Amino acid sequence: MSEEKQHAPQNSDLEDFIADSDTGGRLPRDGFGKAALWYIPLIWSVYQLWIASPLPFMLGIGVWNDTQTRAIHLGFAVLLAFIAFPGLKSSPRHRIPIGTWVIAIVGALASSYLFYAYEGVAARSGAPNTTDVVVSVIGIILLLEAARRSLGFPLMGVALFFLAYVFFGSWSGLPEVVQWKGASLNKAMSHMWLTTEGVFGVALGVSSGFVFLFVLFGALLNQAGAGNYFLQLAFAALGHLRGGPAKAAVIASAATGLISGSSIANVVTTGTFTIPLMKRVGFPATKAGAVEVSSSINGVLTPPVMGAVAFLMTEYVGISYVEVVKTAIVPAAISYVALVYIVHLEALKMGMTGTSRMHPLKFMLGAIFIIATSIVIAGGTLFLTGVIVDALQGVLGGAAVWVIVLVMAGLYILAVRFAAARPDLEMSIESMQHLPPAREIFKTGIHYILPILLLMYLLMIERKSPGLSAFWSAIGMLVILATQNPLKAYFRGQDNVLDELKRGFSEIAEGLIVGARNMIGLAAAMGVAGIIVGAVTLTGIGQVMAEFVEFLSGGNLLAMLFFVALISIVLGMGLPTTANYIVVSSLMAGVVVELGAQAGLIVPLVAVHMFVFYFGIMADVTPPVGLASFAAAAISKGDPLRTGFQAFFYSIRTALLPFLFIFNTDLLLIDVGPYQAVFVFIVALIAMLLFAAGTMNYFMVKSRIWESAVLLLVAFTLFQPGFFLNQLQPEFETRPGSQIFTMAESAAADSSIRVRLMGENLEGDMVDARYLLPLGPSGASGTDRLFDGAGIEFREEDGKIFVDNLNFGGPAEQLGIDFDWEVVELEVEADRMAKEIFYLPAFLLLGLVYLLQMRRKRKEEGVPA
């Protein structure tokens, strides 16, 4: 009992921390305030499910266009931001003041203006009346205040900076290079609030259409008990190993990352249990907190949610959701396995022991085998399900849907019956130390895996939209929440089935409310990010920043990447990861592609967006504003700054990956076949483990400086073998530009052609850069394949080839190619030795270090050499 009392203040502080940062710190005691913060989030969740469902179209009720649905979405967010988040530290937390209600309602009405005044605003497009402008000004001011309440001042401060530039960019005191003509109030408000160029643009559309449903799905899954299930499963599987609680923390955070897009929520969800247990086995408070922080930020990198960024990438990059997941999976997987290895090395350095003496190599191989087997089984199950569904649809037609639903219901009931044969999992620190075997825990929650498999099936096999996939998966979770406890009671022969059914509906309501409250800050961030993006498109400051970064880097791609990484981290210290991604990718993505092309390196746009995303994530760790580190320190009672710096050290591997996949896009599985993908994963994993060993200064035993240097060199070689080959043999051979049509016609299917173009851009500057032009289906002429794939047409004059036409919004136009640019030459891959030949000396060096360290280890242990 005394221990429970001892932990009570800590848990209360944690609840306050997560409420202040995620769901809102106001807890009214009066009936009206309680009802407001119960019913309004509930109605918001029901609204989002309604617009995502086919019911509005079937019934002809509530059918609104995208702009109107975004307006309602933002209206709910602004209303809840004011009533759920106190404005100041001195503001009342146990009641909602009348003045706050008035401002909240005004903010909600202004935010939803495009819903109820849509036809009038559309009719006045570009010529707003006084009402439009007044509502826009009020709306922007109150949206900024909503963001400040729910996310803190930094995001609001960044938006105010960009707004100031919109209105005062013509000030003579500014350097001439950044001056612009400025905008009138009418033009600025029309652009920011009354069109889809600003607040109600792509970001808010993704928030309304996709992100809310995925956050809701995660909240419902967690409400059902899946978070507890994954956590205990990880502890049962790994807790007996050397440094087991820390390894379990890593795996549990990876599982939690499937259902959460918040690194802070990940820390609090798993860290409440993992950090005290890490401290009990010998981890200092700082390192225990740092391990949890590093694990939790990686959860945001893990598909399918990726902190909502996955869905934004589909819009900004113009690729399918499946492609985004494919590019993200290898870096996320090797980063997690490397973190487990880092934890193991820390345990070795601290002399920890476990109840299992499993050899580390055997453990790592076993972990890789389990991960690979799980992926193969999951992939095979999804593929086989797709084949069976296609066969049923061929035989039964429309009736196949009902057969599939009945089969899924049967599988679910069997899984719950299986779980009912065992006691429900308890959630306490003491119970974590006396868990049953992992296989027994696995049986208690198989039904939690079904909705995740359903989500993956709809996304990967059926290729449904993310919004529709999340909708049906959320509906599945509602069914599970309503029925799992009554079914368990029935199978256990208990007579409280009706009581459990009532409990199920209560948990549904709670899950819907938590999901909506988790979205308040994120929706506000999306809206404010729209202000920033609107300022960029209105003023052209993106080009100014591009020139500034190019000036600082001297045109050097590596230096420019460093500056982009620094900008991402600095902005990320105050902005949520998603808002940071939107802002920095809007400003910098095109710059990286352009400078890369001028340096002869073709950087795929998705690689640049992943680069920005990764460094935005690092800001959740980096002092002095690493909120995830502060959350972990609140649990561990360690120093927040030291926790942040230690977590940053553990996360260096995450900071390394973006630089690597810019120069080696194989890591993102771009244009990589299935067998090569397996090879890339294995080699990249070995390289990342060696990088971890090198930075931790420990391999088989404590490393000498030169041994750590050799390990880092081997890791670099495995990551980037082409670097050394390029020093010996050129990567490409040139062909005359006049051969472009012939080469395009004869190229393989689903391929691209590499061209060097020269010409003058709109600013009058000469451009000499290389571009990768995708080609259309094979079998057509070279001209047709170039236009179908890249949206570009060429003309021939005096034996030279020039750009004649560009398809607006096509790949070539998005790459920044302009009219009348000349095709200087074509580049084809040179016939040279395989770059993988450099793996041989790398592994020989690794073998040398291994032998030397094993000799020292045997000597230290007193074993004859």
Side-chain angles (χ1 to χ4, degrees), residues 8-74:
Q10 176 179 323
N11 293 335
S12 176
D13 292 343
L14 278 175
E15 289 173 5
D16 289 344
F17 184 91
I18 194 70
D20 288 340
S21 60
D22 265 11
T23 60
R26 185 171 272 137
L27 296 170
R29 291 174 181 168
D30 61 289
F32 184 77
K34 282 182 180 178
L37 285 177
W38 197 87
Y39 283 106
I40 295 174
L42 181 64
I43 294 169
W44 190 12
S45 287
V46 172
Y47 159 76
Q48 293 289 161
L49 289 171
W50 171 264
I51 63 172
S53 75
L55 289 176
F57 298 95
M58 292 169 61
L59 302 176
I61 301 172
V63 180
W64 303 303
N65 62 40
D66 287 345
T67 303
Q68 289 176 301
T69 57
R70 294 172 191 181
I72 299 174
H73 177 80
L74 187 63

Side-chain angles (χ1 to χ4, degrees), residues 317-333:
V317 183
I319 60 177
S320 70
Y321 173 79
V322 175
E323 286 295 313
V324 173
V325 169
K326 188 178 83 169
T327 60
I329 193 68
V330 167

Side-chain angles (χ1 to χ4, degrees), residues 490-842:
Y490 173 77
F491 290 131
R492 289 167 178 166
Q494 299 170 351
D495 57 3
N496 61 336
V497 174
L498 286 178
D499 291 338
E500 292 295 341
L501 187 61
K502 291 178 182 177
R503 176 186 162 197
F505 283 103
S506 175
E507 289 184 343
I508 285 176
E510 190 63 31
L512 293 173
I513 291 166
V514 170
R517 293 191 67 162
N518 285 341
M519 270 300 299
I520 298 171
L522 190 52
M526 296 286 204
V528 175
I531 294 176
I532 299 168
V533 173
V536 171
T537 56
L538 181 63
T539 64
I541 192 176
Q543 185 61 38
V544 174
M545 290 196 69
E547 292 174 359
F548 180 65
V549 170
E550 185 175 1
F551 169 76
L552 288 178
S553 63
N556 181 279
L557 183 61
L558 194 60
M560 185 264 301
L561 287 172
F562 174 78
F563 283 117
V564 172
L566 190 62
I567 290 170
S568 301
I569 290 176
V570 171
L571 281 176
M573 287 182 186
L575 273 61
T577 302
T578 311
N580 178 32
Y581 163 73
I582 294 169
V583 174
V584 182
S585 63
S586 300
L587 292 171
M588 293 286 121
V591 186
V592 178
V593 172
E594 182 182 337
L595 289 185
Q598 293 177 18
L601 178 70
I602 295 177
V603 184
L605 191 57
V606 67
V608 181
H609 281 255
M610 288 290 289
F611 182 93
V612 170
F613 174 42
Y614 265 63
F615 278 103
I617 291 282
M618 291 298 295
D620 279 349
V621 177
T622 312
V625 197
L627 290 181
S629 299
F630 278 86
I635 301 170
S636 69
K637 301 301 181 185
D639 180 77
L641 291 178
R642 289 182 61 196
T643 300
F645 282 117
Q646 185 67 53
F648 185 82
F649 176 71
Y650 286 156
S651 302
I652 288 176
R653 76 206 184 289
T654 305
L656 170 74
L657 278 169
F659 285 97
L660 293 171
F661 57 58
I662 285 287
F663 292 96
N664 181 9
T665 55
D666 287 355
L667 293 173
L668 298 179
L669 302 185
I670 296 174
D671 297 329
V672 169
Y675 296 109
Q676 189 184 355
V678 174
F679 179 74
V680 166
F681 173 74
I682 293 172
V683 172
L685 179 59
I686 294 171
M688 185 54 75
L689 296 179
L690 293 175
F691 178 80
T695 54
M696 293 292 291
N697 205 33
Y698 199 104
F699 187 37
M700 296 295 107
V701 292
K702 184 175 175 60
S703 299
R704 292 175 176 141
I705 293 178
W706 72 267
E707 289 173 334
S708 294
V710 168
L711 290 176
L712 293 175
L713 176 63
V714 172
F716 176 76
T717 305
L718 297 181
F719 271 127
Q720 186 69 340
F723 174 81
F724 297 101
L725 182 57
N726 292 343
Q727 312 307 311
L728 301 176
Q729 294 178 319
E731 187 175 1
F732 297 100
E733 295 176 351
T734 60
R735 299 283 187 275
S738 57
Q739 294 184 12
I740 187 168
F741 302 114
T742 306
M743 290 182 61
E745 185 173 353
S746 60
D750 299 321
S751 62
S752 302
I753 188 167
R754 185 181 170 104
V755 300
R756 179 185 165 204
L757 298 173
M758 186 181 296
E760 193 174 286
N761 63 17
L762 292 175
E763 287 73 37
D765 300 324
M766 286 301 298
V767 175
D768 182 357
R770 290 156 180 82
Y771 300 92
L772 203 62
L773 301 180
L775 297 174
S778 57
S781 67
T783 303
D784 290 341
R785 293 191 71 186
L786 284 163
F787 186 76
D788 293 340
I792 189 170
E793 292 180 341
F794 295 95
R795 70 178 187 274
E796 185 174 355
E797 290 181 6
D798 301 326
K800 296 181 179 180
I801 306 296
F802 296 92
V803 177
D804 191 49
N805 189 28
L806 292 166
N807 188 12
F808 180 75
E813 195 264 343
Q814 289 186 357
L815 286 171
I817 298 173
D818 212 338
F819 294 95
D820 297 325
W821 285 12
E822 181 186 353
V823 181
V824 179
E825 60 189 15
L826 309 174
E827 295 183 340
V828 297
E829 289 189 13
D831 185 13
R832 57 181 189 167
M833 63 180 175
K835 62 184 179 182
E836 288 76 15
I837 195 71
F838 289 93
Y839 291 162
L840 183 60

Side-chain angles (χ1 to χ4, degrees), residues 133-460:
V133 175
V134 170
V135 170
S136 301
V137 171
I138 293 172
I140 284 181
I141 291 172
L142 295 184
L143 172 59
L144 290 172
E145 171 59 13
R148 185 196 67 79
R149 287 174 176 243
S150 56
L151 299 164
F153 179 77
L155 178 59
M156 178 186 181
V158 173
L160 287 173
F161 171 81
F162 279 90
L163 280 174
Y165 182 69
V166 167
F167 292 111
F168 306 110
S170 59
W171 179 47
S172 59
L174 290 174
E176 188 175 342
V177 68
V178 299
Q179 286 183 23
W180 84 293
K181 62 181 181 180
S184 65
L185 183 64
N186 282 18
K187 182 177 181 181
M189 292 302 101
S190 175
H191 188 83
M192 297 288 184
W193 199 259
L194 303 176
T195 70
T196 55
E197 295 294 324
V199 171
F200 299 97
V202 170
L204 197 64
V206 169
S207 177
S208 173
F210 306 153
V211 177
F212 190 103
L213 293 169
F214 274 87
V215 170
L216 180 61
F217 173 71
L220 294 172
L221 197 56
N222 196 53
Q223 185 70 32
N228 178 27
Y229 170 69
F230 290 137
L231 178 61
Q232 298 209 30
L233 189 60
F235 264 85
L238 302 174
H240 59 286
L241 300 174
R242 192 194 305 262
K247 292 172 181 173
V250 177
I251 303 302
S253 291
T256 306
L258 292 172
I259 60 176
S260 170
S262 166
S263 57
I264 299 169
N266 285 1
V267 167
V268 175
T269 302
T270 59
T272 304
F273 300 95
T274 60
I275 290 175
L277 289 173
M278 279 190 265
K279 290 174 69 177
R280 288 190 184 188
V281 299
F283 277 89
T286 299
K287 289 189 175 181
V291 168
E292 181 57 49
V293 171
S294 299
S295 307
S296 296
I297 65 163
N298 265 44
V300 185
L301 300 175
T302 308
V305 178
M306 295 169 62
V309 169
F311 316 116
L312 286 163
M313 277 192 195
T314 63
E315 301 294 326
Y316 287 143
V317 183
I319 60 177
S320 70
Y321 173 79
V322 175
E323 286 295 313
V324 173
V325 169
K326 188 178 83 169
T327 60
I329 193 68
V330 167
I334 65 175
S335 191
Y336 259 119
V337 176
L339 184 55
V340 173
Y341 184 54
I342 287 173
V343 166
H344 179 76
L345 294 178
E346 281 284 20
L348 284 174
K349 290 165 73 173
M350 288 186 273
M352 293 180 186
T353 58
T355 56
S356 170
R357 300 295 296 172
M358 184 183 293
H359 191 276
L361 181 60
K362 183 179 178 182
F363 166 72
M364 294 305 297
L365 291 175
I368 294 168
F369 175 77
I370 291 171
I371 292 171
T373 304
S374 301
I375 292 173
V376 170
I377 291 174
T381 302
L382 294 175
F383 176 75
L384 183 61
T385 303
V387 172
I388 294 172
V389 169
D390 288 343
L392 284 173
Q393 288 175 337
V395 175
L396 302 175
V401 174
W402 298 108
V403 173
I404 294 164
V405 170
L406 288 173
V407 170
M408 289 183 63
L411 290 173
Y412 165 65
I413 292 170
L414 284 175
V416 175
R417 183 173 183 177
F418 209 51
R422 291 152 189 85
D424 290 338
L425 298 175
E426 295 182 13
M427 193 67 168
S428 68
I429 293 176
E430 293 304 321
S431 68
M432 289 289 197
Q433 296 181 295
H434 306 286
L435 291 172
R439 62 180 177 274
E440 294 300 316
I441 293 179
F442 176 74
K443 296 172 184 177
T444 66
I446 298 175
H447 57 293
Y448 296 136
I449 300 174
L450 294 177
I452 297 175
L453 288 176
L454 173 63
L455 178 64
M456 294 296 96
Y457 172 76
L458 293 172
L459 285 170
M460 304 293 182

